[in-house]
Amino acid sequence: MLARATTHALVGLEARPVEVEAHLQRGVPAFAIVGLPDKACQEAKERVRSGITSAELEWPLRRITVNLAPAGLRKEGSGFDLPIALAVLAASHQIPAARLALHAALGELALDGRVRPVPGALVAAEAARRAGLDRLICPPESAREAALAGIEPVPVEHLTEACAYLRGVAEPRTVEPQPTSNGSSGPDLSEVRGQERARRALELAAAGRHNLLLAGPPGTGKTMLARRLPGILPALTIEQALEVTRIHSVAGLLPAGRPLVDRPPFRAPHHTASTAAIVGGGIGPRPGEASLAHQGVLFLDELAEFYRPALEALRQPLEDGTISIARVQGQALFPARFVLVGKMNLCPCGGRGDPAAECSCSPQRLAAYRDKLSRALLDRFDLVVQVPRARAVELNGSPGEASAIVRERVEAAAVRLRDPPSLSEPAAALLTRAVDSLPLSGRGRARVARVAGTIAVLAGSGAVAAEHVAEALSYRSPTELGPWT
Ligand SMILES: Nc1ncnc2c1ncn2[C@@H]1O[C@H](COP(=O)(O)OP(=O)(O)OP(=O)(O)O)[C@@H](O)[C@H]1O
Ligand SMILES: [Mg+2]
Ligand SMILES: [Zn+2]
């Protein structure tokens, strides 16, 4: 007696098809899972047996062998529970094997037979669809996510519900699509008072996807500004939204009610985060914060407090927008194209640059703080701005421009930047002089030119003028960090 169920194994962002074959033979009752299961997957034995028994189904007193094919692919995690249980039930004629073969299945089993969500339902559903299957049996929490793949989800709360459906005695529950979002969400820029220069830099960062470093004494609105960047980024296209959602799906972070990530994400890892937490790794491997911030904002508050290796690991994605993680099974590639926003004080005690305070840091402590940031990393910040303490008149003044208004300008500029304007002759001459006088690295030069292009486009200009380069250069100037450098 042999029955099959189809499921998927995650390799990075990819779901590879896995055939679950359950073979029942006469002999001493036993239960074995073969085909390179990892520890969590091996433990499926206990959950499947217990789940079937407590669902008042029959545990076949046979020699049961479950084979997960292809054998060369490592099977990680607990999502194989449900397909294994269904294959065993089909092999023992408790559910129709032919009907099961038309479905993919995914889910962990609780000991009482309840079905629990596992990461990666969207990518599994997409892979099932590519394989010509049009229904995915999954936990209710994953149903909306699976529906995004254009497959019909069959949400089941319990193993008995899956059986009732496969026997044809119950119709699958309908899955309502996610309500469309009402435009922007998150905090609004109008709440930030004053700080005109930083607001300008934020708008440039959004329009041209430039990396931004906010430096200054504590409590001047740096964190406030950074949190408002996603709200002025252009809306994601549906392809971008699905790409981001895939990453969050594999990380197991999607809320059941609103799985589609349709706004640019904002990720703010703590400064104690490990390299793997930032760029990804571990079992799976899992995407890191840099990939979770794909198409959105990666905010590093207290930039100088991060582990140096974690910061250095960001250099690759900052250059080419991807992260590759070497694995036994080959390389896993994660997209990681984000706007990096760093925030730091000018010294560990925060007193530097603050007219109302005094710095108590020793030269050694200051040097150590500064050394945390390599030149190479600093070179990748296109926009460096000091955020000074606002004066009382500014803080009591009228509210700033609202995010929606800024976002309109940003969206228009982002469209025009697909075909960036070229440098006028005076602009090119100014840039050439700056290479020696600043000095600027080759990368720095290219980055200044890009920022100048963004400035020109926001100004409605068809070419980059010298004044645009001059403004772009003003954000590179080491003096911007004042007492820092
Ligand atoms: N420009 C501003 N406009 C309005 N409120 C402000 C401004 N600056 C600071 N605040 C108020 O001060 C609080 C702290 O600001 P924020 O957290 O952004 O400071 P910060 O510059 O990030 O400080 P730190 O360097 O300590 O992280 C805000 O929640 C807000 O209430
Ligand atoms: Mg802060
Ligand atoms: Zn200090």
Side-chain angles (χ1 to χ4, degrees):
M1 284 171 285
L2 184 74
R4 287 196 181 85
T6 302
T7 189
H8 295 85
L10 283 180
V11 181
L13 281 187
E14 257 180 85
R16 308 247 176 100
V18 170
E19 205 69 57
V20 179
E21 300 170 328
H23 192 197
L24 269 52
Q25 290 165 293
R26 293 186 191 283
V28 185
F31 185 21
I33 299 179
V34 298
L36 218 58
D38 78 345
K39 194 160 177 298
C41 181
Q42 193 59 254
E43 285 167 359
K45 277 199 286 195
E46 308 310 321
R47 293 188 298 268
V48 166
R49 195 200 320 253
S50 168
I52 287 183
T53 323
S54 34
E56 293 179 16
L57 295 154
E58 195 188 316
W59 181 251
L61 291 175
R62 294 287 156 92
R63 218 155 66 81
I64 306 170
T65 310
V66 166
N67 180 34
L68 305 175
L73 180 67
R74 254 186 89 77
K75 321 298 183 307
E76 285 164 348
S78 50
F80 299 91
D81 294 2
L82 180 61
I84 290 174
L86 293 175
V88 169
L89 291 169
S92 55
H93 304 296
Q94 300 181 68
I95 54 174
R99 189 157 148 88
L100 176 61
L102 302 173
H103 295 73
L106 181 75
E108 179 184 311
L109 285 182
L111 293 179
D112 63 0
R114 267 179 308 118
V115 184
R116 289 179 167 152
V118 293
L122 170 59
V123 284
E126 287 175 328
R129 201 171 160 216
R130 277 197 299 276
L133 300 167
D134 49 11
R135 288 193 171 181
L136 174 74
I137 306 173
C138 63
E141 292 89 338
S142 308
R144 270 193 181 166
E145 191 183 321
L148 295 174
I151 201 170
E152 198 177 323
V154 180
V156 293
E157 217 150 75
H158 198 275
L159 192 52
T160 44
E161 198 179 343
C163 293
Y165 160 76
L166 286 166
R167 287 173 187 144
V169 298
E171 278 298 302
R173 291 188 248 176
T174 51
V175 178
E176 300 290 329
Q178 161 172 344
T180 46
S181 83
N182 48 351
S184 162
S185 50
D188 201 277
L189 254 185
S190 60
E191 290 152 11
V192 180
R193 313 215 167 208
Q195 305 299 9
E196 288 311 320
R197 186 166 166 80
R199 290 179 65 111
R200 165 77 173 163
L202 202 69
E203 184 169 336
L204 294 176
R209 302 198 165 254
H210 305 297
N211 302 319
L212 171 67
L213 178 58
L214 301 166
T220 57
K222 298 180 292 300
T223 303
M224 253 187 121
L225 282 157
R227 292 197 172 278
R228 283 154 181 79
L229 180 51
I232 61 169
L233 283 174
L236 301 181
T237 63
I238 184 67
E239 288 80 20
Q240 288 171 335
L242 277 173
E243 189 185 20
V244 175
T245 304
R246 247 173 241 133
I247 300 170
H248 287 241
S249 166
V250 165
L253 290 178
L254 295 176
R258 296 198 60 86
L260 184 67
V261 184
D262 52 4
R263 287 290 311 157
F266 180 85
R267 303 294 302 184
H270 191 253
H271 60 76
T272 54
S274 67
T275 306
I278 299 277
V279 291
I283 291 175
R286 290 292 169 86
E289 294 289 340
S291 292
L292 294 169
H294 183 59
Q295 302 293 6
V297 176
L298 180 65
F299 177 47
L300 302 183
D301 208 337
E302 312 302 346
L303 182 66
E305 306 289 342
F306 277 79
Y307 294 125
R308 175 97 183 230
L311 291 180
E312 294 299 304
L314 282 175
R315 284 164 55 178
Q316 183 204 357
L318 283 173
E319 218 52 33
D320 58 21
T322 58
I323 290 170
S324 57
I325 298 171
R327 300 213 69 217
V328 192
Q329 315 217 36
Q331 239 171 18
L333 271 186
F334 291 117
R337 198 171 292 284
F338 50 83
V339 180
L340 178 66
V341 180
K343 190 232 87 176
M344 57 191 247
N345 299 125
L346 297 172
C347 71
C349 86
R352 268 181 182 249
D354 189 351
E358 218 160 288
C359 174
S360 60
C361 302
S362 68
Q364 291 89 330
R365 208 166 154 228
L366 190 63
Y369 189 70
R370 176 182 314 183
D371 280 350
K372 279 281 191 71
L373 302 178
S374 67
R375 274 274 140 223
L377 184 68
L378 281 178
D379 208 28
R380 285 165 169 82
F381 284 104
D382 314 283
L383 305 162
V384 179
V385 277
Q386 253 209 65
V387 187
R389 193 165 293 292
R391 286 172 302 136
V393 279
E394 284 180 327
L395 290 178
N396 296 326
S398 49
E401 238 180 344
S403 295
I405 297 169
V406 181
R407 191 171 66 241
E408 254 176 56
R409 283 199 300 268
V410 165
E411 276 174 345
V415 170
R416 294 187 50 204
L417 275 170
R418 284 181 209 148
D419 182 20
S422 48
L423 295 177
S424 70
E425 235 169 77
L430 177 58
L431 190 51
T432 304
R433 281 201 302 280
V435 169
D436 290 329
S437 60
L438 262 184
L440 272 182
S441 67
R443 182 194 299 119
R445 185 192 191 281
R447 285 179 173 265
V448 170
R450 274 191 56 223
V451 173
T454 305
I455 294 169
V457 159
L458 273 171
S461 168
V464 181
E467 59 180 288
H468 304 140
V469 171
E471 187 186 343
L473 283 168
S474 77
Y475 300 114
R476 294 289 298 196
S477 150
T479 55
E480 189 64 43
L481 284 182
W484 166 263
T485 39

